[in-house]
Amino acid sequence: MATGVTAPGVVRVHVPGRSVRHDIRAIKIVLHRELLRFVNDRTRMISTLVQPVLWLFVMGTGLSTLVSRPGQGVDFRTFIYPGVIAMTVITTAMFSAGSIVWDREFGFLREMLVAPVSRASIVIGKCLGGGIVATAQGVIILALAGLVHVPYSPTLILTLLGEMFLASVTITAFGVSLAARMKNMQSFFGIMQMAIMPMIFLSGAMFPLTNLPGWLAFLTKINPLTYAVDPMRHAVFSHLNVDPRVVNALNPGVHWFGWHVPVAVELGIVALMGVALLGIAIAQFHRTD
């Protein structure tokens, strides 16, 4: 057949070229799909709240009888409240990232990968969608603040929302970079439990970062989640009317060789990790078939 000649009965298929406008539209579509999936899955919404609520009201109430002291001014549930928020958004973000494995098993991921858009736009849409979904789940825990003696301050709520979203996007990017190469959900959840649970427990979410043994203090400092949990706890304690000595004992912050790491630096670390993990996730997607 000569060049430019179309055989009778053959229909030409026009595939639009890639452009920034198409990539932005792809981000919006993937993000919108994540929101629809979250809104329509009531079981997932409820099940991911069971563990945080148990930690906050069952474990928190039980342990408060051991660790809370009269006149201290801080209930143990108040102390672990920022950690429970972090646990909620991190777990939800990882579940959002894990949906990529489901998409692969059902063939939907292949349809997205052959679309005339960059794979980076798919990853960005997925991470933004996971961040918004995890933050929305965290809002439910925010609504329980008054039950653990945390004030409903507009400044506090806005601060926690921003910190939750930053942590959620970072963890979603981490989850996407793992899920991009996974072939089944069992493998993904095994890796998720092995990675996330130790990171949560070593972040200071459930205990103060003071007077720790040297090896445990070292692990908390190299744990990325420490720099997401500590700003949330700092925001909560800054709105409590508590003796400064109690604040210093329960909320000492993170120290590097005697230097107190400012909250802005901690948030900057989380943001840089998010950008790095997003780049890794995009690279993994370019290798996905």
Side-chain angles (χ1 to χ4, degrees):
M1 187 188 305
T3 304
V5 178
T6 303
V10 177
V11 179
R12 284 188 174 184
V13 177
H14 174 68
V15 179
R18 294 181 179 179
S19 66
V20 174
R21 183 170 61 87
H22 288 151
D23 288 342
I24 293 176
R25 184 169 181 268
I27 292 173
K28 291 170 59 178
I29 291 173
V30 175
L31 192 157
H32 186 240
R33 180 172 180 266
E34 289 299 309
L35 298 181
L36 287 178
R37 175 182 284 176
F38 174 70
V39 171
N40 294 326
D41 193 351
R42 302 292 177 83
T43 303
R44 171 190 167 191
M45 192 183 306
I46 296 172
S47 63
T48 52
L49 285 174
V50 172
Q51 187 177 18
V53 170
L54 286 176
W55 272 102
L56 191 60
F57 294 106
V58 178
M59 186 67 73
T61 301
L63 291 180
S64 65
T65 61
L66 296 175
V67 300
S68 297
R69 300 174 183 176
Q72 181 174 277
V74 178
D75 186 272
F76 185 69
R77 292 174 301 176
T78 308
F79 171 78
I80 67 171
Y81 179 69
V84 171
I85 292 177
M87 180 189 300
T88 303
V89 298
I90 288 167
T91 304
T92 306
M94 287 296 288
F95 271 100
S96 296
S99 63
I100 288 178
V101 185
W102 283 113
D103 291 340
R104 172 180 282 109
E105 291 184 359
F106 288 100
F108 185 76
L109 180 62
R110 183 175 295 274
E111 295 181 10
M112 289 195 295
L113 294 179
V114 299
V117 295
S118 69
R119 297 190 176 188
S121 64
I122 298 174
V123 175
I124 293 172
K126 187 73 177 177
C127 292
L128 290 177
I132 293 174
V133 166
T135 303
Q137 194 82 339
V139 168
I140 302 176
I141 303 299
L142 277 182
L144 304 176
L147 299 178
V148 293
H149 315 297
V150 175
Y152 291 107
S153 166
T155 304
L156 174 60
I157 291 174
L158 290 176
T159 300
L160 289 176
L161 284 174
E163 292 170 348
M164 284 192 298
F165 180 72
L166 180 60
S168 300
V169 173
T170 299
I171 295 299
T172 305
F174 172 62
V176 170
S177 65
L178 293 177
R181 307 298 294 177
M182 296 289 175
K183 301 299 183 182
N184 56 71
M185 286 300 294
Q186 290 80 5
S187 298
F188 176 79
F189 282 123
I191 294 294
M192 185 186 81
Q193 292 294 329
M194 185 176 66
I196 291 299
M197 292 309 295
M199 292 172 68
I200 289 176
F201 282 108
L202 291 172
S203 66
M206 301 300 163
F207 54 82
L209 299 177
T210 52
N211 300 322
L212 297 177
W215 63 272
L216 185 55
F218 174 75
L219 291 178
T220 59
K221 290 176 183 177
I222 65 173
N223 180 11
L225 291 189
T226 300
Y227 303 97
V229 173
D230 189 63
M232 295 183 191
R233 178 161 289 127
H234 182 273
V236 169
F237 270 76
S238 66
H239 288 78
L240 299 178
N241 186 18
V242 183
D243 189 316
R245 291 173 297 180
V246 175
V247 174
N248 290 334
L250 298 179
N251 183 40
V254 180
H255 293 79
W256 293 345
F257 306 104
W259 177 60
H260 183 270
V261 182
V263 170
V265 174
E266 292 178 325
L267 295 176
I269 291 172
V270 177
L272 287 175
M273 287 191 299
V275 173
L277 289 169
L278 183 63
I280 294 172
I282 292 172
Q284 291 283 51
F285 251 68
H286 280 293
R287 296 166 52 191
T288 300
D289 50 19

